[in-house]
Amino acid sequence: MVAEAAARVGGRDPVLLLQDYGQLVLAPLPGRGLAVGEPVPIDGSPAGAAFLNGAPVEEPLADGMRVYLPLLDGGDEVGVLALTLDAVDDDDRLFLRRLAALVADLLVTKSGYTDRIFQARRLEPMTVAAEIQWSLLPPLTMTVPRVAVAGILEPAYRVAGDSFDYALNDDVLHVATIDAMGHGLDAATMATVAIGAYRHARRADIGLAEIYAFMDRAIAEQFGPDHFVTAQMMRLDTGTGLLQWVNAGHPQPLLIRDHVVVERLESETTLPVGFGGEEPVISERALRHGDRVLCFTDGLVEEREPGGEQFGEDQLIDWVNRVERSQSGVRAVVRALSHVLKEKRGGHTSDDATLFLIEWR
């Protein structure tokens, strides 16, 4: 279908490129009439620029113009459509934007009943625990007029106990980040129950304190008193900018203003879910337009550097400030931050690590 539609405007060599799980490259999706080639690096490529910025990129060639179109499905982006035309005018651009939107919608729909899309994104073997975690996740990014979010998990192909979830219900953004104790399938199973309990409670329209209590009971009843999940649950009123949250054992989120970390969002913490904590204190902060809030799990800062010292929050803040000055959208910031932090921590991750960024627009 893609090749036939592209041919209507004289397009040739169409290729569908999907982001791999590690967010390093865009991998081609095989299909009838589609060109097949090697994965394309996201950094430094026209396709990567279209993907990160969510805007078309046109690359002049000796025999025409190579056009890279982001595949936007609502607030999410699933990949890039690339094709070559002899020349491009405004009518072509309008048609191609509509084609890209249709292709994005088809990819999202088809991913519900075929494995080919997942297989194209997978560039190395994935553990069973990671398979479970990726099946739980919402889209990694969402961008709407009032708010934008982006998240990333490490290590992408071996993650087990970390996860996040969010939903935009009318004017309220709901967010949860979790870190289940342990590793492997045990951690993945606990994370599955925690996310399931969070969604169930959230959809019952109860308050943050009640959500905490419901998750706490679910983990305690299923796994007993010696198991726990650290968690952070948030609500952001996208009309007023009022942020409310409950912190159950997570590191304090960072408030970013004008591309600089201005403070840690200090709050009273309660016990991790599963330990039977008392009713939690709900913290509040009024955000300003353009403020960003970065949530992260302890695997990011407790990792040891090559010299043996703990990476720590001070280094994290320093790198957040550097990346914020060099990147723009939340997707690009989270991705660049994850990759540079992994490099600075010695190129490996011995524990799961999660980054989740919220921008009130």
Side-chain angles (χ1 to χ4, degrees):
M1 185 277 288
V2 175
E4 294 170 354
R8 288 187 55 187
V9 289
R12 58 186 185 276
D13 301 326
V15 59
L16 287 176
L17 298 165
L18 307 179
Q19 177 182 241
D20 84 296
Y21 286 95
Q23 300 196 31
L24 293 171
V25 301
L26 294 166
L29 175 66
R32 186 174 59 189
L34 295 175
V36 178
E38 296 297 318
V40 177
I42 292 178
D43 293 318
S45 69
F51 180 77
L52 291 176
N53 298 323
V57 172
E58 297 178 1
E59 180 187 27
L61 303 175
D63 60 346
M65 184 76 73
R66 188 72 171 167
V67 182
Y68 301 88
L69 298 139
L71 299 174
L72 300 169
D73 179 63
D76 185 27
E77 188 174 354
V78 298
V80 172
L81 167 62
L83 71 164
T84 302
L85 296 90
D86 293 333
V88 184
D89 60 26
D90 288 342
D91 288 339
D92 297 329
R93 293 183 181 98
L94 177 60
F95 175 81
L96 292 174
R97 284 198 300 271
R98 291 175 174 172
L99 173 61
L102 175 60
V103 171
D105 186 57
L106 287 173
L107 286 172
V108 170
T109 301
K110 284 182 173 292
S111 66
Y113 56 84
T114 180
D115 288 330
R116 296 306 182 209
I117 295 168
F118 300 102
Q119 289 170 331
R121 297 180 58 201
R122 190 167 302 185
L123 301 185
E124 60 181 87
M126 181 176 284
T127 65
V128 175
E131 191 84 59
I132 292 171
Q133 291 303 78
W134 280 100
S135 70
L136 286 175
L137 288 176
L140 295 181
T141 60
M142 177 193 69
T143 303
V144 294
R146 286 186 175 179
V147 69
V149 301
I152 192 168
L153 300 180
E154 303 173 2
Y157 293 91
R158 299 185 305 281
V159 67
D162 276 21
S163 191
F164 62 81
D165 194 40
Y166 66 85
L168 181 61
N169 297 335
D170 300 323
D171 290 337
V172 179
L173 173 71
H174 303 256
V175 172
T177 55
I178 68 157
D179 181 1
M181 65 170 284
H183 301 279
L185 277 175
D186 288 343
T189 303
M190 250 192 300
T192 301
V193 173
I195 290 293
Y198 170 70
R199 287 176 177 167
H200 181 81
R202 184 189 72 211
R203 290 165 182 169
D205 261 345
I206 58 179
L208 286 174
E210 291 79 12
I211 289 176
Y212 166 81
F214 188 87
M215 294 174 66
D216 181 72
R217 289 195 301 271
I219 296 298
E221 291 172 1
Q222 184 65 34
F223 300 99
D226 298 328
H227 293 75
F228 66 90
V229 177
T230 62
Q232 193 155 243
M233 290 75 75
M234 291 183 161
R235 284 183 172 176
L236 173 63
D237 186 321
T238 65
T240 66
L242 178 64
L243 178 70
Q244 298 175 305
W245 73 96
V246 167
N247 191 336
H250 265 210
Q252 307 289 1
L254 302 178
L255 177 61
I256 303 167
R257 181 170 292 156
D258 297 326
H259 305 294
V260 175
V261 176
V262 293
E263 64 177 294
R264 295 176 174 90
L265 289 178
E266 302 286 348
S267 62
E268 293 192 40
T269 60
T270 189
L271 292 175
V273 295
F275 277 172
E278 297 179 354
E279 182 174 338
V281 174
I282 298 175
S283 302
E284 293 187 354
R285 172 59 61 90
L287 300 183
R288 299 180 186 175
H289 287 292
D291 279 355
R292 291 176 173 178
V293 176
L294 179 66
C295 304
F296 58 96
T297 55
D298 59 11
L300 202 70
V301 293
E302 293 182 355
E303 186 67 67
R304 298 288 171 176
E305 297 181 88
E309 294 184 3
Q310 197 172 72
F311 188 76
E313 286 193 21
D314 288 340
Q315 279 211 73
L316 169 62
I317 291 172
D318 180 54
W319 281 105
V320 170
N321 292 338
R322 297 189 198 188
V323 170
E324 276 280 340
R325 289 192 293 266
S326 64
Q327 303 291 335
S328 54
V330 292
R331 175 197 293 273
V333 168
V334 164
R335 177 185 169 276
L337 187 58
S338 173
H339 292 168
V340 73
L341 291 178
K342 185 174 181 180
E343 176 187 344
K344 298 304 175 184
R345 299 195 316 268
H348 68 280
T349 301
S350 60
D351 190 14
D352 297 341
T354 298
L355 287 166
F356 193 85
L357 184 63
I358 306 165
E359 179 185 70
W360 184 46
R361 310 184 82 192

